[in-house]
Amino acid sequence: MKIAFHTLGCKVNQYETEAMKEEFLSRGAEIVGEDEAADAYVINTCTVTSVADSKSRKYIRRMKKLSPDSVMVVTGCYAQTASEELEAMPDVDIVIGNNLKSTICEEVMNALEIRKTGNETDTETRVLTFSELVGY
């Protein structure tokens, strides 16, 4: 499984992206450059300005064009504050807020397995919410 990452924003996002990479590597994934075809792309977003939001959307579209069958994951502050907007984007497969970044590897692996086996017919965007995870 090939995974590419793109990080926008602060040093915290940079650190968290490195931690996500380590998690994927520990599960046998190959980390590839962000401009290479990958099975999944993880975009760790920022939303400090509308320019940051725009950069995130442009990157999502560009990566999906490069690899149309890839799983597109959006996380970070933009995903946290505008999950409905991202969910409406046809290029986005999974939206994960900041509080659930630790679940990204598992969610990506599940999505790739579903695509490989075709065991699930629901192809709508998967949005993880805090209440869903803790059972509220």
Side-chain angles (χ1 to χ4, degrees):
M1 139 180 72
K2 294 181 179 183
I3 310 294
F5 290 83
H6 184 73
T7 305
L8 297 155
C10 66
K11 290 184 186 282
V12 172
N13 276 4
Q14 300 290 331
Y15 173 81
E16 290 176 338
T17 295
E18 290 305 313
M20 287 184 268
K21 286 179 182 180
E22 291 298 321
E23 176 70 18
F24 277 99
L25 287 169
S26 74
R27 294 182 182 219
E30 177 185 349
I31 306 302
V32 297
E34 61 186 62
D35 289 327
E36 296 180 46
D39 298 308
Y41 293 89
V42 177
I43 300 123
N44 197 355
T45 62
C46 175
T47 193
V48 172
T49 66
S50 61
V51 172
D53 295 351
S54 176
K55 284 182 180 180
S56 296
R57 290 188 302 273
K58 285 179 186 175
Y59 185 78
I60 291 164
R61 288 188 294 270
R62 190 176 84 192
M63 292 302 95
K64 200 62 165 186
K65 190 179 226 180
L66 175 67
S67 190
D69 295 328
S70 64
V71 172
M72 189 65 58
V73 183
V74 182
T75 190
C77 294
Y78 186 36
Q80 184 75 34
T81 62
S83 62
E84 291 176 4
E85 180 180 332
L86 288 166
E87 182 180 356
M89 289 182 68
D91 295 332
V92 175
D93 299 298
I94 301 171
V95 179
I96 299 179
N98 283 328
N99 53 343
L100 300 174
K101 283 182 180 175
S102 63
T103 67
I104 286 176
C105 189
E106 192 66 35
E107 286 294 323
V108 168
M109 293 178 80
N110 288 339
L112 289 172
E113 183 64 25
I114 288 166
R115 288 198 177 169
K116 180 180 171 186
T117 62
N119 284 341
E120 185 174 284
T121 58
D122 180 15
T123 59
E124 290 187 18
T125 303
R126 175 91 168 107
V127 178
L128 294 179
T129 63
F130 181 74
S131 60
E132 174 186 7
L133 194 66
V134 296
Y136 288 145

